[in-house]
Amino acid sequence: QVQLVESGGGLVHTGDSLRLSCAVSAGTFSNYGVGWFRQALGKEREYVGSIDWRGAATVLLGSVWGRFTISRDNAKNTVYLQMNDLKPDDTAVYYCAADRFVRQNSNEYTYWGQGTQVTVSS
C-alpha cells in the first residue's frame, strides 16, 4: 500500500514562498513518479507538474512557470513543490499523487494524499 502525506501549507502574503512536501511510504519509492495538483474553491482540479522516477521534473501549468519547481529526495522518500513569489490566484488545496508513470490527467494516478491548504493574501 502506498500512502502520501502532504505538509507545508499555510497562510502567506503575496510574494512569499512556501515549500510543500509530499512524504511517500512505498515499497520502492524510486519506482514511482509523483504529480502535483491543486484545486481552488469552486474550480476543477488542475495539474501543476510532476517528477518522474528518474528525477526529471516538469512544470506545465503556465501560470506558475518560473515560480514553482519540483524536486525529489529518494533517500527521504519525499517530493517537494517549491513555490516562490506566491499570488492570491495560487490559493488552493494542493495534492500530490503517485503512480508508476507521471501523467497530466488526475484520473491516471492511483495514490493520493489528503491535500494541504495554501492561502495567499493580497
Side-chain angles (χ1 to χ4, degrees), residues 43-98:
K43 296 186 178 180
E44 293 187 356
R45 188 171 297 185
E46 61 182 356
Y47 171 79
V48 175
S50 58
I51 188 164
D52 67 16
W53 65 271
R54 300 166 299 175
T58 303
V59 176
L60 287 186
L61 186 62
S63 62
V64 307
W65 277 355
R67 300 188 295 121
F68 289 14
T69 57
I70 300 172
S71 61
R72 67 189 290 158
D73 184 339
N74 284 349
K76 295 182 178 180
N77 281 21
T78 301
V79 171
Y80 303 99
L81 178 65
Q82 177 67 44
M83 307 185 295
N84 299 327
D85 190 23
L86 284 161
K87 305 178 186 304
D89 284 348
D90 296 320
T91 296
V93 178
Y94 284 73
Y95 299 89
C96 61

